[in-house]
Amino acid sequence: MKILVCISSVPDTTSRIAFEEGNTRFAKAGIQYIIGPYDDYALARAVELKEANGGSVTVLNVGKADAEPQIRKALAIGADDAVRIDTEPADSYSVAAEIAAYARDKGFDLILMGRETTDYNSGVVHGIVGEMLGMPSFSPVMELNVEGSKVLIAKEIEGGKEKLETSLPVVLGCQEPIAEWKIPSMRGIMGARTKPLAVIAPSAEALTDVRSYELPPAKGAVKMIPAEDAGSLIKLLQTEAKVL
Amino acid sequence: MSVLIFAELADGSIRKNSQEAIFYGAKVASQTGGSATVLAIGEASEAELAKAGNFGATQVLYVKKEENIMAYAKILTEVVKSTGSTVVVAARSALSDAVLARAAGALKAGFAGNVTALPDTSAGFTVTRSIFSGKAFAQTTITSDIRLLAIKKNVIDVTAGSDTAPVETLSIDTSAEDGSAKILSVEKATGAVSLPEADIVVSGGRGMKGPEHWQPLLDLAEALGAATACSKPVSDLDWRPHHEHVGQTGVKVAPNLYIACGISGAIQHLAGVNSSKVIVVINKDPEAPFFKAADYGIVGDVFEVLPKLTAAVKAL
Ligand SMILES: Cc1cc2nc3c(=O)[nH]c(=O)nc-3n(C[C@H](O)[C@H](O)[C@H](O)COP(=O)(O)OP(=O)(O)OC[C@H]3O[C@@H](n4cnc5c(N)ncnc54)[C@H](O)[C@@H]3O)c2cc1C
């Protein structure tokens, strides 16, 4: 089975978000970047499927050279080779178009990625890729099993989950508990240094453009209520906050 | 601009978040001098569908229940083309992610998700969207001829009128999509309030000590008519089902009231709840970071505080 896993490189989930240059750019200084947490689940499941069934895992990132530590980490976790499409990821459509342009005619059975990135939270790249390649796409997938060409998945729906059967090839947006995040072993890290990482020129255009950024207004001070008098909170929620 | 709103149906009526999307779409239509057409796929009576007019829709196009999400996307794409729509609006959800995404691919349309305000159409088409799980906003211009918007839930204040909209039933051939998926089973939490749409959420963390101690939290949720949620470690430990997990890697909620019981308030947890209008935190540790994000706080033992709150709600 030939698997493609698309990963984003995003600010660590504890990062302080700030903007610079008149609020037109994300302030990268001091930010630690990680593999997108949802993409990390997709990668972990891909490596498990490869270990169980054989085949290969290729990891793809649309990004500049500063994403390479994240790509090497994915190789250390168990991907066999990597591709970086050398452009700043601009929007969902262009990222999907880059992925589709690369994946077309390469015969991938499974294209996996996270349900969304944790920076822009758009959640549509998998579906756009599926449409562009004429493959079905499903998200957010919480369980994934492959039996021959049959693909059994459970995906989240409003307030529950739906199990369905589809077939290879397919594009899936993943989330927990599809697999547990994997931590690279020392051997994996050593091996990753020499695994192939191809850099490819971009070809797609973006359909959106961010004009400026802003931060939400600061939260007011918290009002503390003594535990002995906890019941009085309910009155405040009714008369002051007006949410009951 | 001709606006098409993709509305989701649940239990025979238009979902609350989709009502917000219709209201938003109708505002865009009136702002730009166009029509607001609703596309609904699923099961609902004509009378229920006509209520889309309460939120400003001028027409409803209805397609009877389809099982397969690929068919939904195909229908949306066809209807965008046949109505000549240039703006497509939906409430952000797992379903709309899948459907709008495929339509974006098919129509070469720019997409903006988690939109929080009406567009500026004075020069081009610019919307505000929430990014970094609610930690920032981005003013985003969509440059394509067709624009797709997913509206963040519970940010559009809806005022409903009494107009109804005419309903037309369409039939669109989706047989080409038949092979792509076979639904095997659907599990839904029955009777419970749906978490993503709930007005009130009562949520428990590791401070609840174990699944056998959840009853006081469930009692409060029941008294308030609230949905229940939990932190990630709680669902990882299987104390509560995975679909209750909120946060950066879980469900994003935006209720009017979020009550956190024994949750420390890690930044990844806050990322899923910081769009709540009012946050109440109950924690025995006065230094718990969650208090900094709270509107009301109680320093105390959840097992003493929760029954008092439930009693006070019942006494209202
Ligand atoms: C990449 C990444 C993504 C993540 N995504 C998420 C996510 O989506 N959602 C999420 O929730 N977490 C997420 N986490 C985990 C997050 O960092 C925290 O570990 C988690 O939120 C802590 O859960 P908790 O508050 O339930 O537990 P703890 O941090 O253990 O807090 C328990 C709290 O309960 C209080 N307490 C204990 N006993 C009582 C009592 N009797 N009465 C009152 N209070 C009591 C304690 O004072 C403490 O504050 C993520 C982490 C990473 C690295």
Side-chain angles (χ1 to χ4, degrees):
Chain A
M1 189 164 39
K2 223 177 138 179
I3 309 175
L4 179 68
V5 180
C6 308
I7 62 166
S8 55
S9 169
V10 295
D12 178 85
T13 50
T14 58
S15 304
R16 199 180 139 266
I17 305 302
F19 302 99
E20 59 190 12
E21 296 186 10
N23 282 331
T24 58
R25 252 181 46 172
F26 176 67
K28 285 188 171 181
I31 298 283
Q32 176 75 40
Y33 280 78
I34 59 170
I35 297 175
Y38 293 112
D39 307 324
D40 222 355
Y41 287 121
L43 175 65
R45 188 65 189 134
V47 170
E48 288 173 1
L49 288 171
K50 182 189 88 166
E51 282 166 0
N53 307 317
S56 65
V57 175
T58 299
V59 60
L60 178 153
N61 168 260
V62 178
K64 302 295 280 182
D66 55 8
E68 289 198 1
Q70 284 63 259
I71 300 174
R72 289 284 171 208
K73 184 177 175 196
L75 291 167
I77 286 171
D80 300 287
D81 61 341
V83 181
R84 181 170 66 79
I85 299 172
D86 189 23
T87 181
E88 203 65 67
D91 71 355
S92 306
Y93 187 89
S94 60
V95 169
E98 298 292 2
I99 295 169
Y102 171 76
R104 199 182 304 277
D105 309 327
K106 298 246 173 11
F108 288 108
D109 300 298
L110 264 182
I111 300 180
L112 305 183
M113 64 190 82
R115 70 173 294 181
E116 66 183 48
T117 61
T118 53
D119 50 7
Y120 287 93
N121 311 117
S122 289
V124 291
V125 171
H126 32 76
I128 304 177
V129 171
E131 179 70 29
M132 286 174 167
L133 295 176
M135 294 182 192
S137 58
F138 300 95
S139 179
V141 175
M142 306 159 78
E143 289 167 30
L144 164 62
N145 288 294
V146 182
E147 293 167 7
S149 68
K150 201 159 87 173
V151 180
L152 298 165
I153 64 178
K155 73 180 173 70
E156 185 189 297
I157 52 170
E158 213 80 347
K161 68 179 174 184
E162 178 181 274
K163 294 196 170 174
L164 60 84
E165 181 187 322
T166 180
S167 52
L168 298 175
V170 65
V171 183
L172 304 175
C174 303
Q175 73 172 30
E176 59 149 314
I178 195 164
E180 302 225 2
W181 288 325
K182 290 199 186 323
I183 298 161
S185 66
M186 207 54 213
R187 218 175 117 233
I189 294 169
M190 301 302 285
R193 291 186 189 156
T194 51
K195 286 181 178 173
L197 192 173
V199 178
I200 294 180
S203 58
E205 52 167 332
L207 302 179
T208 66
D209 177 22
V210 174
R211 291 295 159 92
S212 66
Y213 296 94
E214 64 192 287
L215 295 172
K219 189 105 185 164
V222 51
K223 189 167 200 166
M224 298 305 292
I225 290 130
E228 314 76 69
D229 197 19
S232 69
L233 169 70
I234 300 300
K235 266 269 143 5
L236 287 174
L237 292 175
Q238 190 179 35
T239 55
E240 189 180 73
K242 297 193 169 55
V243 289
L244 294 184
Chain B
M1 291 171 179
S2 291
V3 180
L4 183 69
I5 303 109
F6 170 64
E8 291 180 41
L9 301 173
D11 304 322
S13 46
I14 298 170
R15 271 187 189 284
K16 174 171 160 277
N17 295 148
S18 293
Q19 296 172 1
E20 296 163 4
I22 296 170
F23 188 78
Y24 180 102
K27 287 272 179 239
V28 177
S30 68
Q31 183 180 319
T32 57
S35 57
T37 303
V38 165
L39 169 66
I41 308 170
E43 244 152 351
S45 66
E46 184 165 335
E48 280 298 322
L49 293 165
K51 285 186 189 164
N54 296 356
F55 310 104
T58 43
Q59 188 193 12
V60 179
L61 303 175
Y62 172 58
V63 179
K64 277 260 289 264
K65 187 154 181 66
E66 287 279 356
E67 293 271 288
N68 186 346
I69 207 150
M70 292 308 109
Y72 277 66
K74 165 90 176 164
I75 293 166
L76 178 65
T77 303
E78 291 304 316
V79 172
V80 171
K81 287 186 194 154
S82 66
T83 54
S85 300
T86 54
V87 180
V88 180
V89 179
R92 171 98 207 255
S93 73
L95 177 67
S96 74
D97 280 359
V99 174
L100 292 188
R102 295 200 67 105
L107 299 164
K108 197 172 184 203
F111 171 84
N114 294 310
V115 171
T116 60
L118 285 168
D120 176 351
T121 50
S122 55
F125 191 97
T126 304
V127 289
T128 305
R129 64 187 166 122
S130 160
I131 57 170
F132 287 108
S133 306
K135 285 185 267 184
F137 297 94
Q139 299 287 335
T140 306
T141 300
I142 306 181
T143 52
S144 52
D145 297 336
I146 299 174
R147 304 114 181 145
L148 306 182
L149 310 178
I151 310 300
K152 191 173 161 83
K153 61 193 156 206
N154 209 21
V155 295
I156 305 300
D157 284 322
V158 171
T159 44
S162 54
D163 290 351
T164 55
V167 179
E168 185 188 331
T169 301
L170 303 181
S171 101
I172 291 173
D173 181 15
T174 57
S175 52
E177 315 297 329
D178 284 352
S180 59
K182 188 165 100 204
I183 313 286
L184 304 174
S185 69
V186 177
E187 284 169 38
K188 271 200 177 178
T190 45
V193 182
S194 144
L195 176 59
E197 295 206 308
D199 286 327
I200 305 179
V201 174
V202 184
S203 187
R206 209 142 49 176
M208 293 295 296
K209 305 273 193 289
E212 67 281 17
H213 302 306
W214 234 260
Q215 199 54 46
L217 189 156
L218 300 177
D219 290 343
L220 177 63
E222 197 188 340
L224 288 167
T228 52
C230 67
S231 68
K232 176 169 157 64
V234 165
S235 67
D236 286 348
L237 291 163
D238 273 334
W239 292 1
R240 298 294 299 169
H242 267 281
H243 61 78
E244 280 198 4
H245 152 207
V246 294
Q248 177 124 34
T249 50
V251 180
K252 314 279 191 295
V253 295
N256 293 329
L257 175 60
Y258 183 81
I259 304 180
C261 311
I263 304 176
S264 58
I267 195 158
Q268 297 94 350
H269 185 84
L270 297 181
V273 307
N274 57 13
S275 301
S276 308
K277 297 214 165 113
V278 173
I279 294 179
V280 171
V281 170
I282 308 162
N283 196 303
K284 68 175 185 191
D285 173 9
E287 301 298 321
F290 218 148
F291 285 118
K292 290 203 177 67
D295 299 283
Y296 297 94
I298 300 178
V299 176
D301 186 303
V302 274
F303 301 106
E304 283 163 26
V305 172
L306 280 171
K308 286 187 187 162
L309 297 182
T310 307
V313 172
K314 288 189 172 152
L316 280 180

